[in-house]
Amino acid sequence: MTGTVHPWTGAFAGLCAAVLLTFTAFGAAVPVLPRLITTELGGSALAVGTAFGISAVAALLSRPYAGRLAQRGDVRLVIAAAFAGHLADRPAARPHTGPVRAPRH
């Protein structure tokens, strides 16, 4: 079987690693966000649902456009836009009373 291309090489393995890390990071935040919003930030159950809903709507609206743009060959533009969004969402970019700590019960 010489000349066979294996899918688990190079870019595909890197893509799988990036997707794994992304979903792991999001999955780690899911159990923490409700308690953070209700105890540390004084929000309600509606605020918790709104936070998750906004995340889902943002993904639903942005992914088709980002995918189309990346398939057109503008991958660097998509990565730069995602990184800019990440920087805009950093805790240092918004008013904040200090480091977020887990509530002590």
Side-chain angles (χ1 to χ4, degrees), residues 43-61:
S44 64
L46 178 64
V48 173
T50 302
F52 282 106
I54 287 173
S55 172
V57 169
L60 183 68
L61 295 176

Side-chain angles (χ1 to χ4, degrees), residues 13-63:
L15 176 65
C16 289
V19 170
L20 173 70
L21 292 173
T22 299
F23 283 110
T24 301
F26 183 73
V30 168
V32 175
L33 277 176
R35 182 175 287 189
L36 172 72
I37 292 171
T38 56
T39 59
E40 295 286 324
L41 301 177
S44 64
L46 178 64
V48 173
T50 302
F52 282 106
I54 287 173
S55 172
V57 169
L60 183 68
L61 295 176
S62 66
R63 286 179 182 166

Side-chain angles (χ1 to χ4, degrees), residues 57-98:
V57 169
L60 183 68
L61 295 176
S62 66
R63 286 179 182 166
Y65 297 109
R68 194 172 303 123
L69 189 62
Q71 285 182 341
R72 246 187 15 208
D74 297 335
V75 177
R76 288 188 175 154
L77 179 62
V78 173
I79 292 171
F83 187 65
H86 167 73
L87 290 178
D89 191 46
R90 287 183 31 209
R94 56 184 175 265
H96 181 297
T97 58

